Amino acid sequence: MPRVVHFEICADDPERASKFYADVFGWQISKWDGPVDYWMTATGSREQPGIDGGIMRRESPTMPGVINTIDVASVDAMVEQIVAHGGSVAMPKIAVPGVGYMAYCLDTEGNMFSVMEEDLSAV
């Protein structure tokens, strides 16, 4: 069964948001060394229940505050299922280098989420 495995917090000022979450909750936050501005966020130890996430720059005023990422076996197959059941694609499949493939979608209520297929060879 696909599970939520990651969250993204969208921020107008990611550095400010990173400081806020680190100061308030003690989260460990570090800038990702990838092709986009992204701050990796560890919310606790691996032994403790919960998920980690990231903080990213808000690209538009309509971008939601939080986006959950769901782990799937195939982004392509899941996007077909999403559309067949009344959802839509907000951003088509992209490669996340060294991580996998993902697409941003909307459910039938207009809520944004992403689906991620792990593939460490993605470029």
Side-chain angles (χ1 to χ4, degrees), residues 9-21 29 31 37-39 54-60:
I9 297 171
C10 303
D12 296 323
D13 184 338
E15 290 93 353
R16 180 179 63 208
S18 294
K19 181 173 177 5
F20 172 82
Y21 285 102
I29 301 172
K31 193 159 189 299
D37 283 344
Y38 199 86
W39 288 258
I55 298 173
M56 60 191 262
R57 190 170 306 283
R58 187 183 319 274
E59 298 294 327
S60 77

Side-chain angles (χ1 to χ4, degrees), residues 9 18 31 43 46 67-68 82 85 98 106 109 118-119:
I9 297 171
S18 294
K31 193 159 189 299
T43 64
R46 294 279 180 198
I67 302 169
N68 289 311
I82 290 164
H85 288 86
L106 298 171
E109 310 311 304
E118 184 178 329
D119 182 347

Side-chain angles (χ1 to χ4, degrees), residues 29-116:
I29 301 172
S30 60
K31 193 159 189 299
W32 183 48
D33 189 26
V36 297
D37 283 344
Y38 199 86
W39 288 258
M40 300 302 296
T41 305
T43 64
S45 70
R46 294 279 180 198
E47 295 78 36
Q48 186 180 13
I51 61 173
D52 295 330
I55 298 173
M56 60 191 262
R57 190 170 306 283
R58 187 183 319 274
E59 298 294 327
S60 77
T62 59
M63 197 169 192
V66 176
I67 302 169
N68 289 311
T69 300
I70 301 166
D71 179 50
V72 298
S74 166
V75 168
D76 295 328
M78 191 54 63
V79 165
E80 284 182 27
Q81 287 293 314
I82 290 164
V83 172
H85 288 86
S88 61
V89 176
M91 186 179 84
K93 178 178 159 182
I94 61 167
V96 180
V99 177
Y101 298 95
M102 70 182 306
Y104 287 89
C105 300
L106 298 171
D107 68 12
T108 57
E109 310 311 304
N111 298 303
M112 185 175 286
F113 62 96
S114 66
V115 291
M116 168 71 76

